[in-house]
Amino acid sequence: MTAVLFDRHGAVAWITINRPDRKNVMNPEVLLGLADAWAEFRGDESLRVAVVTGAGDEDFCCGGDLGGLIPLWTRAIEPTTEVERRLLDRPHIIDDVMLKAEPLDKPVIAAINGRALGGGLELVQATDIRIAASTASFGLPEPKSGVVPGAGSMVRLARQLPYAHAMRIFLGGEPVDADTALGMGLVSEVVSPADLRVRVEEVAARVAEQAPLALRAIKRTVLATHTMSWDEAFELEKREAGGVMRSADAREGPRAFKERRSPRFEGR
């Protein structure tokens, strides 16, 4: 069984963690598969939006396989398979999986089909639009095991949520349900489990119709300016806006409006 599936549906890439019998926990195969999937999505200009989800209807991802990963990383055990050797050859793979090493400026949607715990919630924080099934739950239980959520959460979560909400998730240890996550602003929308796939497909199709250069400039600017001073941030925004305004897509949009047709954006 392939641990991570990569499916193309027009301009949308669906990336699925495919270990439903193991709560979609991240093992070496999943980490390598996700890193490769992000690289493929990043490098393919025909793909404009990615959706990341989990197989089955119970778990998005319940974190990392600590029993299989930590001993490898600490060299308590030696690698015995090619996959394990590949993992050790990429010491910064978590940065690639969680989109920390190189920010991804294409839009990413999370289709959260169930529990998103530990590394699963850390992966959610690396996405832009988050649509959750009403049965989903969210938590960072790492302190219960004496460790910390160090794959991005200690930086991202308190920037994405109000402080008190973030600290409730960090320090409380108990998962929050989908409606609570929506009230916190952790997710964008909550739908019934039966409607999740259709709703995500609708949102992904709408995003894929937008001008890709414009979307990428927006996301780059939002990510890069988050900790800049106002002056630096407005200067970067000005440069990004100017680059888009000089593009063929920026000319195509008004032309299509005038001609009463759908625009044909080509990303240039």
Side-chain angles (χ1 to χ4, degrees):
M1 179 183 293
T2 303
V4 175
L5 306 177
F6 190 96
D7 299 306
R8 298 163 180 266
H9 298 273
V12 181
W14 279 75
I15 300 168
T16 305
I17 302 173
N18 189 35
R19 301 184 75 213
D21 57 328
R22 300 298 302 273
K23 301 180 182 180
N24 290 324
V25 163
M26 296 181 187
N27 66 352
E29 289 88 349
V30 170
L31 292 179
L32 289 166
L34 285 173
D36 291 345
W38 292 133
E40 183 170 356
F41 173 61
R42 187 191 301 273
D44 189 335
E45 292 301 321
S46 70
L47 294 172
R48 298 185 177 183
V49 183
V51 176
V52 61
T53 191
D57 55 10
E58 294 186 5
D59 299 298
F60 173 79
C61 173
C62 287
D65 179 8
L66 298 184
L69 290 171
I70 299 300
L72 271 175
W73 279 328
T74 60
R75 291 303 179 100
I77 61 174
E78 291 300 315
T80 59
T81 67
E82 179 60 26
V83 168
E84 291 176 348
R85 283 187 283 272
R86 284 183 59 206
L87 184 73
L88 292 181
D89 286 341
R90 298 179 67 171
H92 304 295
I93 193 167
I94 291 297
D95 292 345
D96 296 329
V97 169
M98 298 299 175
L99 302 177
K100 293 165 54 183
E102 181 183 357
L104 177 61
D105 59 8
K106 292 183 182 182
V108 180
I109 300 171
I112 307 161
N113 55 303
R115 290 176 291 187
L117 305 177
L121 179 50
E122 299 203 273
L123 183 60
V124 167
Q125 293 169 62
T127 67
D128 306 305
I129 299 173
R130 305 161 190 175
I131 303 177
S134 57
T135 53
S137 59
F138 306 83
L140 294 170
E142 284 85 347
K144 289 184 176 181
S145 301
V147 294
V148 297
S153 288
M154 291 190 290
V155 174
R156 282 177 166 146
L157 193 62
R159 299 186 185 195
Q160 295 181 2
L161 300 185
Y163 179 84
H165 288 329
M167 298 310 285
R168 172 183 172 181
I169 293 173
F170 277 132
L171 306 180
E174 294 300 321
V176 298
D177 61 26
D179 287 335
T180 301
L182 180 64
M184 290 178 166
L186 181 60
V187 300
S188 313
E189 185 176 346
V190 175
V191 299
S192 72
D195 293 335
L196 180 63
R197 175 86 186 199
V198 171
R199 179 57 182 153
V200 172
E201 288 175 343
E202 291 174 350
V203 173
R206 186 175 302 115
V207 173
E209 291 174 352
Q210 312 303 309
L213 288 182
L215 293 184
R216 295 175 74 167
I218 289 168
K219 183 173 176 179
R220 274 198 308 272
T221 303
V222 170
L223 291 179
T225 61
H226 198 77
T227 57
M228 286 183 179
S229 70
W230 286 100
D231 289 344
E232 292 173 316
F234 286 135
E235 185 60 34
L236 177 59
E237 182 186 54
K238 186 188 303 182
R239 292 198 303 271
E240 290 283 4
V244 171
M245 290 301 292
R246 292 189 293 272
S247 70
D249 281 354
R251 296 190 293 274
E252 166 63 9
R255 185 185 305 119
F257 178 80
K258 183 177 180 180
E259 296 173 1
R260 298 183 180 180
R261 59 173 175 81
S262 298
R264 295 184 290 271
F265 295 124
E266 298 180 2
R268 58 185 182 85

